[in-house]
Amino acid sequence: MEDLINIFVRSIFVDNLVFAYFLGMCSYLAVSKTVKTSAGLGVAVIFVLGITVPINYLIDNFLLSRGALSWLGPRFEGVDLSFLTFIMFIAIIASMVQLVEMII
């Protein structure tokens, strides 16, 4: 019975390409009534990703990876903060979106 429930949930939420594409397009559809607003959203997305990708790369390699904190001393050589990777990515992207929103 658990297998059937697992297949049902996966088919609706995890492996459903139409659902995933629809969720990805929600923000685009919300502002795409005119070409001007759609172009503005595209520029804002490119701007946010252009800034956050290098920041996320630096944080991942120099703070969150295993042994990345060795520059703090020998006590921190074995520290592995990689479990915080997605949380940091989301926080950085969300904060940059808020800054862009305040500027615009």
Side-chain angles (χ1 to χ4, degrees):
M1 187 66 175
E2 288 181 26
D3 290 335
L4 292 175
I5 294 172
N6 188 16
I7 291 171
F8 180 73
V9 170
R10 285 185 59 115
S11 65
I12 291 177
F13 297 110
V14 178
D15 296 330
N16 189 347
L17 291 176
V18 174
F19 188 61
Y21 285 130
F22 176 72
L23 286 177
M25 292 178 12
C26 281
S27 60
Y28 175 74
L29 293 173
V31 296
S32 64
K33 293 181 181 176
T34 64
V35 175
K36 183 179 177 183
T37 55
S38 298
L41 176 67
V43 170
V45 167
I46 291 170
F47 177 74
V48 167
L49 288 178
I51 291 175
T52 57
V53 167
I55 294 170
N56 284 334
Y57 173 78
L58 293 172
I59 287 176
D60 187 41
N61 284 332
F62 297 111
L63 291 177
L64 301 178
S65 296
R66 181 172 209 58
L69 296 176
S70 61
W71 55 274
L72 290 174
R75 287 181 33 199
F76 297 101
E77 286 181 9
V79 175
D80 183 17
L81 298 175
S82 62
F83 64 92
L84 296 173
T85 301
F86 291 119
I87 295 171
M88 290 303 297
F89 290 170
I90 291 169
I92 291 168
I93 292 170
S95 63
M96 188 54 62
V97 166
Q98 291 300 315
L99 287 173
V100 168
E101 183 182 2
M102 288 190 292
I103 292 170
I104 291 176

